[in-house]
């Protein structure tokens, strides 16, 4: 099972987005995306919701609660 950071990175790469592009879409800095992907910290629930919308998946999918 992928951890949260790996899931975000996989989704970002599958969407053909760079970290700076995703950061702009989410409204955070590139460093924040890097921290999330490297499991330095985790996104707040409000950002998980934004990520789910961007990637067209459920928040539960991002959090690893469903396949």
């Amino acid at each position: 099972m992928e951890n949260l950071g790996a899931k975000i990175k996989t989704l970002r790469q599958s969407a053909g987005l760079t970290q700076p592009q995703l950061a702009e879409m989410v409204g955070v800095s590139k460093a924040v995306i890097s921290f999330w992907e490297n499991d330095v910290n985790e996104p707040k629930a409000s950002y998980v919701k934004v990520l789910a919308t961007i990637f067209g998946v459920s928040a539960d999918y991002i959090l690893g609660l469903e396949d």
Side-chain angles (χ1 to χ4, degrees):
M1 181 167 108
E2 279 186 313
N3 61 24
L4 180 59
K7 179 79 71 170
I8 293 169
K9 184 175 184 176
T10 298
L11 288 166
R12 176 181 60 77
Q13 290 175 332
S14 294
L17 296 171
T18 64
Q19 286 184 343
Q21 289 170 327
L22 180 58
E24 186 174 333
M25 294 171 78
V26 175
V28 297
S29 69
K30 178 207 166 283
V32 170
I33 301 297
S34 179
F35 288 159
W36 292 347
E37 290 185 0
N38 291 298
D39 293 313
V40 173
N41 56 32
E42 296 180 344
K44 296 188 309 184
S46 60
Y47 290 129
V48 172
K49 183 178 176 182
V50 172
L51 290 169
T53 301
I54 290 168
F55 296 128
V57 298
S58 69
D60 283 349
Y61 178 80
I62 292 175
L63 297 172
L65 299 173
E66 67 180 33
D67 294 331

